[in-house]
Amino acid sequence: MSVLLVGLDAELVTAVTRRLTAQGDQVRIVARSGEPVPGAHVAVGDPGDDDLVERAAQGARTIVAGEEGRAAALAGAARAGVDRAVLVGGDAAGAPASMSWVLLVTKRRLRRGVAPADVAEAVDAADDMAGEPRLVVDLTTEDGWRALRLDPR
């Protein structure tokens, strides 16, 4: 199956792509930069361009969305038939009612965030939780990691 990454920073894109492709997943990315990412297909453009995201999301199982352009990206993915999302940071505002989602809280005010490789592991685990819609997981707490059935950090 394929996973679409939209609105994530470059370091996280690399970590998530590396983890998912190692498992045999196909990864597509919508990014402002045409910088190649090993193992992934990159569509260059605005992550908030819902038409571009809709085209890139055709046949995708999951959208992994950062905060940039999230509402529009989710709308485009929903039109393409994507029914689950992993949201990294921010909140779940704008998530279509047709989608199940897991929101990963990755940092707290005045605290350092979670390392990209750890977020990638959490994205992978959240993607596997397809049957658990509308779940908020705080990766800055041990309980958050346990909710994903992972060892606390």
Side-chain angles (χ1 to χ4, degrees):
M1 295 297 288
S2 68
V3 177
L4 177 64
L5 310 180
V6 180
L8 302 173
D9 68 44
E11 193 174 13
L12 187 53
V13 164
T14 300
V16 172
T17 300
R18 191 173 294 138
R19 181 165 187 97
L20 295 180
T21 58
Q23 301 176 149
D25 287 321
Q26 296 175 350
V27 176
R28 302 177 203 162
I29 302 163
V30 173
R32 292 186 185 284
S33 164
E35 202 62 37
V37 177
H41 174 76
V42 179
V44 179
D46 180 355
D49 180 343
D50 60 329
D51 290 329
L52 173 61
V53 172
E54 180 180 6
R55 290 190 305 275
Q58 295 298 317
R61 158 186 84 215
T62 303
I63 181 172
V64 179
E67 295 180 66
E68 181 184 2
R70 178 180 288 167
L74 291 172
R79 286 197 308 270
V82 176
D83 63 357
R84 61 179 146 163
V86 177
L87 311 173
V88 180
D91 59 37
S98 63
M99 279 188 184
S100 64
W101 49 262
V102 176
L103 171 64
L104 301 176
V105 177
T106 57
K107 58 185 162 184
R108 287 288 185 216
R109 198 181 277 172
L110 302 177
R111 264 211 233 161
R112 209 166 106 193
V114 180
D118 290 339
V119 175
E121 181 180 8
V123 165
D124 183 22
D127 180 33
D128 292 341
M129 298 179 78
E132 300 198 31
R134 296 167 179 76
L135 178 65
V136 177
V137 176
D138 187 344
L139 297 180
T140 66
T141 69
E142 289 184 7
D143 287 342
W145 288 96
R146 286 189 192 103
L148 292 173
R149 299 176 187 93
L150 298 171
D151 290 330
R153 298 296 183 256

